[in-house]
Amino acid sequence: MNYSEAVTKKLIASSLTISFMESCTSGLLASMFTDTEGASKVFTGSLVTYSNEQKIKAGVNPDVISGFGVYSAECAREMAATAQKIYSTDIAVGITGTTGNVDPNNPDSVQGEAFFCIHIKDKSYDFHIQKNVASMTRQEIKSFYAHKVYEELNALIKSVVI
């Protein structure tokens, strides 16, 4: 059983709800979660906000993006909090980062860097990924990031929730 399936089954068994706000993974986290039968019992929705404007429209504080950058732990934390607020879930995940070349719209971006936050009830857990992705496709990078998120979600659910 892979981490995403394990997480989904644990949340179903615990009746804990989850939502996502994704940028660099482009909805892959939500897609992986719903690959397990019964996911609809605990998955209420997800946002894919690729642009800064859409993150802000969804509820991310623009001061966080301008002050810390869109590729930051602070932005990922805001994204998780926004998803949790919109969908009223027990758990929410926010992820932001680059999936290949440095972002031409953001000179501070770093190739192969992502930030994600797992928000459980009222506590935030911040994570940073830095990987040499020069030989990887965008799909491979997104998949790598998503698997890291599920690996950490699985560990947190074991230690914090269940």
Side-chain angles (χ1 to χ4, degrees), residues 45-85:
S46 181
L47 298 160
V48 177
T49 55
Y50 216 63
S51 72
N52 292 354
E53 295 78 18
Q54 291 306 311
K55 288 173 183 66
I56 292 165
K57 280 184 181 180
V60 171
N61 184 339
D63 294 338
V64 169
I65 293 173
S66 64
F68 297 98
V70 69
Y71 306 126
S72 66
E74 293 81 4
C75 185
R77 194 176 315 123
E78 275 283 307
M79 291 170 69
T82 298
Q84 188 174 46
K85 180 179 177 183

Side-chain angles (χ1 to χ4, degrees), residues 5 10 12-15 29 36 38 42 54 56 58 84 87 90 124 133 137 146 154:
E5 184 179 7
K10 287 174 186 174
I12 292 168
S14 302
S15 295
L29 293 173
T36 301
V42 295
Q54 291 306 311
I56 292 165
Q84 188 174 46
Y87 294 109
D90 299 303
S124 295
V133 297
T137 66
N154 188 59

Side-chain angles (χ1 to χ4, degrees), residues 103-115:
D103 183 345
N105 298 316
N106 188 333
D108 297 326
S109 65
V110 176
Q111 184 182 31
E113 182 174 56
F115 297 88

Side-chain angles (χ1 to χ4, degrees), residues 24 95-98 110 112-116 127-130 145:
C24 60
I95 185 166
T96 182
T98 58
V110 176
E113 182 174 56
F115 297 88
F116 66 96
F127 300 91
H128 178 229
I129 300 170
Q130 180 68 57
Y145 291 166

Side-chain angles (χ1 to χ4, degrees), residues 98-101 111-113 131-137 141 144-145:
T98 58
T99 54
N101 295 332
Q111 184 182 31
E113 182 174 56
K131 180 164 178 67
N132 181 345
V133 297
S135 64
M136 297 170 71
T137 66
I141 297 165
F144 176 79
Y145 291 166

Side-chain angles (χ1 to χ4, degrees), residues 136-155:
M136 297 170 71
T137 66
R138 290 174 72 85
Q139 180 58 40
E140 289 169 334
I141 297 165
K142 290 190 289 187
S143 181
F144 176 79
Y145 291 166
H147 283 94
K148 289 304 244 181
V149 169
Y150 277 109
E151 183 179 342
E152 296 297 344
L153 257 171
N154 188 59

